[in-house]
Amino acid sequence: DQQVKQNSPSLSVQEGRISILNCDYTNSMFDYFLWYKKYPAEGPTFLISISSIKDKNEDGRFTVFLNKSAKHLSLHIVPSQPGDSAVYFCAASGEGQNFVFGPGTRLSVLP
Amino acid sequence: KAGVTQTPRYLIKTRGQQVTLSCSPISGHRSVSWYQQTPGQGLQFLFEYFSETQRNKGNFPGRFSGRQFSNSRSEMNVSTLELGDSALYLCASSLGLVWGRLETQYFGPGTRLLVL
């Protein structure tokens, strides 16, 4: 049973436009969420996090939104750049738990 | 500050052999977690060590084991390798638990294992 889902395996966006990556979770005990970016042949790189006491967190071009009632979070990248092309993973954890990762979404930013 | 390092980066083994992978965490980090990534799969959690003790374990067979040393370096061992063990093995380190929650994990580049 997948506790963290990323239902879009891939997404293509034009350079300069907004990229929106979605993530859903089923475990109501999750209260801390992370987004990672992964290039081929490299380990995942931490991007941004959010805890359940907030519904939004911004860091430069990256913003994460959390909707606890819907058990849904999203990562917005504005404006998208070709260097953002990568696989994006969301991860969730709760008290005493290790992180559970989603299957990833491959983002392609077209020039 | 140096990042998480993993050795070796690439490895080719045959079925039935065993393998040991090594991970050196970020200085000051005491938690080390191991993950397996296969094509089409997300990161599957193997186990987490903190202060030389296994604190959490994922749903993998006993052929997968690990340990952590007093300097927080960690090793992962897979015995009796199977073709399905071919994967990217990732190590991640973090400071540990804060208010009962695992702090953000930082990943190494991974070890790509191919079992023939």
Side-chain angles (χ1 to χ4, degrees):
Chain A
D1 177 35
Q2 265 193 332
Q3 296 188 71
V4 178
K5 303 175 186 179
Q6 294 177 258
N7 291 322
S8 299
S10 63
L11 175 69
S12 291
V13 168
Q14 210 66 36
E15 181 180 2
R17 307 292 288 268
I18 183 172
S19 295
I20 300 177
L21 298 116
N22 294 305
C23 179
D24 297 287
Y25 60 96
T26 58
N27 189 335
S28 58
M29 301 304 291
F30 288 154
D31 59 6
Y32 186 52
F33 306 89
L34 310 177
W35 282 95
Y36 288 87
K37 175 173 73 174
K38 186 180 183 302
Y39 295 120
E42 294 183 14
T45 302
F46 169 69
L47 278 175
I48 192 168
S49 64
I50 189 167
S51 74
S52 60
I53 61 172
K54 302 174 83 171
D55 54 18
K56 176 182 173 182
N57 189 27
E58 275 183 89
D59 185 0
R61 297 187 297 114
F62 301 93
T63 303
V64 57
F65 296 92
L66 175 62
N67 183 333
K68 291 183 288 292
S69 60
K71 295 192 180 69
H72 176 85
L73 62 156
S74 60
L75 175 68
H76 292 211
I77 307 173
V78 184
S80 301
Q81 299 172 354
D84 296 329
S85 296
V87 178
Y88 289 78
F89 293 98
C90 70
S93 77
E95 185 172 352
Q97 298 176 341
N98 219 75
F99 286 102
V100 179
F101 283 77
T105 296
R106 182 176 301 278
L107 173 67
S108 299
V109 180
L110 309 172
Chain B
K1 200 181 247 190
V4 179
T5 58
Q6 291 186 247
T7 55
R9 291 293 311 275
Y10 303 93
L11 208 47
I12 299 175
K13 292 284 187 178
T14 56
R15 276 183 300 172
Q17 286 188 309
Q18 77 160 20
V19 66
T20 299
L21 312 181
S22 180
C23 171
S24 293
I26 292 170
S27 177
H29 284 194
R30 296 168 65 191
S31 167
V32 173
S33 296
W34 288 89
Y35 294 86
Q36 180 196 67
Q37 185 189 17
T38 51
Q41 300 286 320
L43 278 66
Q44 305 295 313
F45 171 67
L46 281 153
F47 27 68
E48 186 233 349
Y49 285 87
F50 182 84
S51 291
E52 302 178 66
T53 300
Q54 187 181 90
R55 196 163 54 179
N56 275 313
K57 189 177 189 309
N59 193 24
F60 276 80
R63 299 185 297 107
F64 292 81
S65 63
R67 59 178 175 167
Q68 187 179 34
F69 302 94
S70 58
N71 61 358
S72 294
R73 190 177 71 85
S74 176
E75 286 182 349
M76 190 192 93
N77 185 275
V78 188
S79 63
T80 319
L81 283 166
E82 300 177 359
L83 295 179
D85 296 333
S86 295
L88 179 67
Y89 290 89
L90 291 158
C91 162
S93 77
S94 82
L95 286 169
L97 292 179
V98 176
W99 295 107
R101 283 159 185 78
L102 194 60
E103 276 287 287
T104 299
Q105 294 182 326
Y106 297 88
F107 284 84
T111 294
R112 186 161 294 282
L113 172 65
L114 177 62
V115 182
L116 302 175

